[in-house]
Amino acid sequence: MQETQPPSRLPPRPRNRGIYLLPNLFTTGGLFAGFYAIIAASQGRFDDACIAVFVAAILDGVDGRVARLTNTQSEFGVQYDSLADLISFGLAPALVMYHWALSTMKFDSVTAGKIGWIAAFLYAACAALRLARFNSQVAVVDKRWFIGLASPAAAGLMASFVWTAHELGYTGEQLRYVALAVTVIAAVLMVSGLRYFSFKGGPRNDRVPFLAIMVAVAVVVAIAVDPPSVLLTVSALYAISGPSYWLYRRLRRAGARDGEGAEGS
């Protein structure tokens, strides 16, 4: 009897990996925008530099969504995105602020000049620490919250401050100490343990209220009318939302303890 051979199975067709280029192109675009912001700031074109930082933030929000929609997530993409974020939201805002204002502190004294570039480095270092902490905790933290101010939000605060002041006719030298305070505050908030709402919601909460959509449309319209001032307002409000929520929770816990003590007495 002739032995029957099992039907030959073709080897599994390798998955077309060309689509992986798509999300990484957006990441590269964000990296280019951050690099361009550094070049523009070094040439004194601060409005272009600030716009480039916000372009990088938009592309950073797009690349992850594109990867999820096309099912092209990869460890390479995660690491590449993190490195690009370090340039766009760490080095770029720090150098934009340094070239605009912090570098002029050297005219006050040698010590003040050192404080200026140290503050810029502090911001860049805190952005790196924030990104490293996010990568190490991404699988264990509640996705509804960011722990510490996200680096794109901190970069938005820095860039919108420079952009607004520049549009209003202020020079960096005039606002150098305000710029120093903004830089240090943004740096500290990134590495803090404060909670910030991520706007991602839970795994079963894909819908948003109609009011939220109307608010988002109103913000977009306002940004179109006066981009720097509106972006500064939105960035500042989001930055103070973390300390405000921390204070609210602390006062609420204190009130609950007082209530329990009154019942027990």
Side-chain angles (χ1 to χ4, degrees), residues 9-141:
R9 293 184 178 179
L10 296 176
R13 185 178 180 181
R15 184 179 180 181
N16 183 13
R17 305 183 69 86
I19 199 171
Y20 283 86
L21 179 65
L22 186 58
N24 291 327
L25 274 179
F26 284 101
T27 303
T28 303
L31 176 60
F32 174 81
F35 182 79
Y36 177 81
I38 296 173
I39 299 298
S42 67
Q43 297 175 347
R45 296 184 288 113
F46 298 109
D47 49 352
D48 292 341
C50 295
I51 292 172
V53 171
F54 283 105
V55 170
I58 294 173
L59 294 175
D60 178 67
V62 169
D63 61 1
R65 286 170 173 79
V66 169
R68 287 189 292 271
L69 288 173
T70 57
N71 194 24
T72 54
Q73 304 98 319
S74 66
E75 184 63 24
F76 172 83
V78 172
Q79 300 302 325
Y80 183 40
D81 180 72
S82 182
L83 293 173
D85 287 353
L86 178 58
I87 302 297
S88 300
F89 309 130
L91 290 179
L95 291 174
V96 169
M97 187 69 82
Y98 177 79
H99 286 298
W100 181 69
L102 299 180
S103 62
T104 64
M105 294 180 65
K106 64 185 177 184
F107 300 128
D108 294 336
S109 67
V110 175
T111 302
K114 291 180 179 179
I115 292 175
W117 66 259
I118 288 174
F121 170 75
L122 174 67
Y123 177 89
C126 288
L129 292 170
R130 171 68 179 80
L131 290 166
R133 184 176 66 180
F134 175 79
N135 289 343
S136 63
Q137 296 179 348
V138 66
V140 296
V141 298

Side-chain angles (χ1 to χ4, degrees), residues 200-215:
K200 294 181 180 180
R204 298 183 180 179
N205 189 21
D206 297 330
R207 298 182 179 181
V208 296
F210 181 76
L211 179 61
I213 298 176
M214 296 302 297
V215 171

Side-chain angles (χ1 to χ4, degrees), residues 98-201:
Y98 177 79
H99 286 298
W100 181 69
L102 299 180
S103 62
T104 64
M105 294 180 65
K106 64 185 177 184
F107 300 128
D108 294 336
S109 67
V110 175
T111 302
K114 291 180 179 179
I115 292 175
W117 66 259
I118 288 174
F121 170 75
L122 174 67
Y123 177 89
C126 288
L129 292 170
R130 171 68 179 80
L131 290 166
R133 184 176 66 180
F134 175 79
N135 289 343
S136 63
Q137 296 179 348
V138 66
V140 296
V141 298
D142 190 344
K143 292 184 178 181
R144 295 175 300 172
W145 303 96
F146 291 132
I147 305 302
L149 183 63
S151 57
L157 177 62
M158 297 270 284
S160 61
F161 172 75
V162 175
W163 193 6
T164 301
H166 185 70
E167 288 291 314
L168 293 176
Y170 292 99
T171 65
E173 187 175 0
Q174 292 174 318
L175 299 179
R176 58 191 181 277
Y177 287 104
V178 180
L180 176 66
V182 171
T183 303
V184 173
I185 290 172
V188 172
L189 288 177
M190 279 193 289
V191 296
S192 70
L194 299 174
R195 285 186 175 187
Y196 284 89
F197 190 61
S198 68
F199 302 102
K200 294 181 180 180

Side-chain angles (χ1 to χ4, degrees), residues 224-240:
V225 173
D226 188 3
S229 299
V230 174
L231 288 172
L232 176 59
T233 302
V234 173
S235 300
L237 288 175
Y238 185 69
I240 65 176

